[in-house]
């Protein structure tokens, strides 16, 4: 385990430039979409992160030929020989990612059968897949849950459905899109998620030959087609990584230019960033543009915010921003309405000197599913707090990045254990940190 520890000497501002590439939460789904096509696909700007490696491994097991293209970050996919994979080989990936569940529809269309290993992902609550399975059954899939994983088949094919999600789940919306595009007939999905990553996935599916209408009020209508081709696509930039670096600039009183960051995907974050007292400047040159984020000096202001589905404040923006809020002058309030258990990481921040209290009550006006269920899903952050170095153990991806920021903002030397988890979603983060002037070593 010792090489999975990062020694971080904090207390200096992060200054410089980083680049973000294609969004993890689009790229991994786009890779799954390649299975639906009967001709090759190509994607640019793919980040070198663990989640991409995992999905690549799963595609290769199913006969998709994946090769690196000529350009840095270019991947090519040839799905002409999609085939069944061995359960033991698939199960090597059990627990490592939540993406495999999205292979259900594409594999059922291509092979009539799918085996899905146990899912993994972050430790931020139970993360059920009940919406996915209910929708798949309605499409005509037979789902058999066994101790080794899920076996799915579709002896009578898959047929369009009329379906309303209880909650606009990102993954369930993607599941339904990836299944409906080749199901027979029309699918009407209500209360769908409409995150920019989902709209980008719809763009990809349209390039492949799908017919998808996004109506107002979260209704998506999909006209199934008998076959799909490949696509060539440059994904939307990673707005979670961009905001993580922006929050790191605020927390460390620094100045970071995030090349590749795009304003349109981040307006909600930018509003909050500005309310707190951070400054930003947008360069929308399509080739080399980005957003510069900096701490202008003086005190940061506290804020009250609620995480929500798009166009609300993303739940994945919450943890790095909370580190910056420990430095604001006054009481900030964050009501987490997407996940029931996403404040576990705050106890480590408190050990470092932060003053964060978590509450079961809904501290905000948005109706929330967790209010009467006893989950500590609201946080009050009192600042400014002087953070001091400590030993940290990274619990999940986004919390992990926030621990890292806290260690960089704190005086002294921290040991951050389990940093490899951060490689799941942040490309070359150690090199990027070094480029920003951070003193980090293994
Ligand atoms: N939910 C259910 N049943 C389901 C599916 C979801 O109750 O069948 C609930 C979840 O428990 C959660 C809420 O719905 O409370 C939202 O979950 P959603 O399905 O939207 O999340 P996801 O698709 O599993 C993706 C991202 C997450 C991001 C969320 C919300 C990927 C691979 N993951 O997860 O990203 O937080 O959407 O935007 O796209 C991350 O990148 O670190 C990450 C966790």
């Amino acid at each position: 385990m010792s090489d999975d520890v990062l020694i971080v000497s904090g207390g200096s501002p992060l200054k410089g430039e980083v680049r973000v590439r294609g969004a993890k939460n689009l790229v991994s789904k786009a890779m799954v979409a390649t299975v639906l096509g009967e001709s090759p696909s190509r994607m640019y700007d793919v980040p070198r992160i663990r989640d991409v490696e995992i999905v690549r491994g799963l595609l290769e097991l199913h006969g998709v030929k994946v090769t690196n293209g000529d350009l840095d970050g270019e991947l090519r996919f040839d799905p002409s020989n999609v085939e069944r994979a061995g359960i033991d080989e698939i199960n090597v990936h059990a627990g490592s990612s939540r993406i495999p569940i999205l292979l259900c529809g594409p594999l059922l269309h291509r092979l009539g059968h799918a085996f899905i290993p146990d899912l993994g992902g972050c430790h931020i609550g139970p993360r059920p897949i009940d919406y996915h399975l209910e929708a798949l059954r309605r499409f005509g899939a037979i789902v058999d849950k066994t101790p080794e994983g899920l076996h799915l088949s579709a002896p009578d094919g898959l047929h369009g459905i009329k379906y309303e999600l209880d909650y606009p789940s990102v993954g369930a919306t993607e599941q339904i899109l990836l299944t409906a595009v080749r199901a027979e007939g029309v699918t009407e999905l209500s209360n769908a998620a409409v995150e920019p990553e989902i709209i980008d996935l719809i763009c990809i599916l349209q390039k492949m030959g799908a017919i998808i209408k996004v109506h107002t009020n979260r209704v998506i209508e999909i006209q199934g087609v008998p076959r799909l081709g490949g696509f060539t696509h440059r994904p939307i930039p990673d707005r979670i990584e961009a905001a993580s670096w922006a929050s790191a600039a605020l927390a460390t009183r620094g100045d970071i230019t995030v090349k590749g960051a795009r304003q349109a995907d981040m307006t909600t974050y930018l509003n909050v960033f500005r309310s707190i007292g951070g400054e930003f400047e947008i360069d929308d040159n399509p080739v080399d543009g980005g957003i510069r984020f900096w701490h202008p000096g003086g005190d940061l202001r506290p804020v009250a915010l609620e995480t929500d589905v798009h166009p609300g404040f993303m739940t994945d923006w919450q943890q790095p921003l909370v580190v910056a809020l420990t430095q604001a002058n006054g009481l900030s309030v964050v009501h987490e309405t997407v996940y029931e258990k996403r404040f576990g990481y705050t106890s480590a921040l408190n050990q470092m000197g932060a003053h964060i209290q978590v509450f079961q009550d809904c501290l905000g006006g948005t109706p929330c599913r967790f209010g009467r269920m006893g989950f500590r899903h609201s946080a009050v952050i009192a600042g400014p707090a002087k953070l001091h170095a400590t030993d940290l153990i990274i619990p999940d991806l986004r919390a992990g990045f926030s621990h890292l920021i806290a260690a960089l903002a704190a005086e002294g030397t921290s040991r951050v254990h389990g940093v490899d988890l951060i490689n799941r979603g942040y490309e070359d983060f150690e090199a990027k940190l070094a480029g920003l002037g951070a003193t980090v070593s293994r």
Side-chain angles (χ1 to χ4, degrees):
M1 275 299 277
S2 61
D3 57 349
D4 196 11
V5 178
L6 200 68
I7 318 282
V8 179
S9 299
S12 334
L14 294 181
K15 288 191 173 172
E17 195 176 290
V18 294
R19 170 170 289 281
V20 293
R21 297 221 262 191
K24 162 177 106 55
N25 291 348
L26 176 273
V27 166
S28 46
K29 326 296 172 57
M31 291 173 76
V32 170
T34 65
V35 176
L36 284 164
E38 283 164 29
S39 45
S41 293
R42 179 184 296 208
M43 198 160 28
Y44 298 108
D45 235 2
V46 177
R48 274 186 310 272
I49 51 174
R50 181 88 43 77
D51 273 20
V52 165
E53 278 170 34
I54 292 167
V55 184
R56 181 177 181 157
L58 272 168
L59 295 187
E60 286 172 341
L61 277 179
H62 286 94
V64 180
K65 211 169 144 213
V66 186
T67 47
N68 297 332
D70 300 334
L71 298 174
D72 181 33
E74 178 187 340
L75 282 186
R76 296 178 189 181
F77 306 85
D78 182 352
S80 8
N81 294 310
V82 170
E83 61 191 14
R84 279 173 86 141
I87 288 175
D88 290 347
E89 292 162 288
I90 298 178
N91 264 336
V92 169
H93 296 279
S96 58
S97 161
R98 299 185 58 76
I99 305 297
I101 189 71
L102 296 178
L103 277 162
C104 293
L107 288 178
L108 284 174
H109 284 303
R110 290 299 299 269
L111 302 171
H113 176 269
F115 171 74
I116 308 298
D118 245 7
L119 302 179
C122 295
H123 299 117
I124 52 181
R127 301 190 75 182
I129 49 167
D130 50 333
Y131 304 160
H132 297 245
L133 298 186
E134 192 193 325
L136 285 161
R137 286 191 180 106
R138 300 266 291 270
F139 274 111
I142 295 175
V143 183
D144 186 16
K145 287 189 194 177
T146 71
E148 60 189 4
L150 294 176
H151 289 272
L152 295 98
S153 58
D156 300 321
L158 298 167
H159 302 273
I161 56 172
K162 205 167 155 60
Y163 192 73
E164 179 167 355
L165 285 169
D166 284 348
Y167 183 80
S169 150
V170 169
T173 299
E174 291 160 343
Q175 180 76 264
I176 291 166
L177 282 168
L178 290 163
T179 306
V181 281
R182 276 194 55 184
E184 200 185 312
V186 176
T187 293
E188 187 186 292
L189 171 62
S190 309
N191 205 22
V194 289
E195 267 60 11
E197 291 77 11
I198 287 183
I199 303 301
D200 209 31
L201 180 64
I202 290 175
C203 292
I204 288 173
L205 293 168
Q206 187 175 55
K207 285 176 174 173
M208 297 174 80
I211 301 172
I212 303 171
K213 293 183 202 155
V214 182
H215 296 292
T216 50
N217 299 333
R218 299 190 176 277
V219 174
I220 301 181
E221 188 185 317
I222 305 120
Q223 165 78 62
V225 295
R227 76 185 42 81
L228 292 169
F231 64 85
T232 296
H233 195 71
R234 188 173 292 281
I236 59 163
D238 199 309
R239 63 197 176 116
I240 305 179
E241 182 179 357
S244 302
W245 291 116
S247 295
L250 264 196
T252 64
R253 302 181 82 82
D255 185 337
I256 302 180
T257 298
V258 185
K259 291 277 184 191
R262 206 169 63 173
Q263 178 187 16
D265 312 318
M266 298 185 68
T267 51
T268 307
Y269 179 85
L270 293 170
N271 287 336
V272 171
F273 191 86
R274 179 170 277 159
S275 315
I276 297 171
E279 299 210 4
F280 59 87
E281 188 174 64
I282 292 153
D283 172 358
D284 45 21
N285 177 334
V287 179
D288 203 27
I291 308 180
R292 175 183 165 214
F293 299 92
W294 73 96
H295 188 305
D299 282 350
L300 295 177
R301 293 183 288 274
V303 74
L305 68 87
E306 298 178 80
T307 64
D308 207 343
V309 293
H310 187 75
F313 191 92
M314 287 186 91
T315 170
D316 303 285
W317 287 335
Q318 180 255 101
Q319 304 85 335
L321 189 84
V322 163
V323 182
L325 291 177
T326 65
Q327 303 308 302
N329 193 356
L331 286 184
S332 295
V333 182
V334 180
H335 179 207
E336 168 63 60
T337 76
V338 180
Y339 291 111
E340 58 273 61
K341 289 188 184 169
R342 226 178 181 184
F343 282 122
Y345 71 97
T346 56
S347 49
L349 300 187
N350 284 341
Q351 264 173 42
M352 299 176 79
H355 305 292
I356 305 173
Q357 255 189 294
V358 284
F359 296 89
Q360 293 179 1
D361 312 75
C362 292
L363 300 181
T366 300
C368 158
R369 298 163 295 150
F370 313 130
R372 287 171 300 279
M373 294 168 67
F375 293 113
R376 303 209 298 175
H377 69 294
S378 294
V380 174
I381 304 121
K386 197 165 170 48
L387 300 181
H388 51 77
T390 189
D391 269 19
L392 294 158
I393 299 172
I394 284 185
D396 70 65
L397 177 61
R398 307 299 168 194
F401 196 84
S402 76
H403 284 176
L404 204 54
I405 299 176
L408 288 157
E411 289 293 335
T413 301
S414 297
R415 293 167 61 81
V416 188
H417 297 258
V419 281
D420 282 346
L421 248 180
I422 296 179
N423 290 313
R424 272 193 55 207
Y426 293 86
E427 179 181 49
D428 281 345
F429 74 93
E430 287 180 57
K432 286 180 183 172
L433 283 175
L436 294 170
T439 313
V440 292
S441 60
R442 285 276 178 165

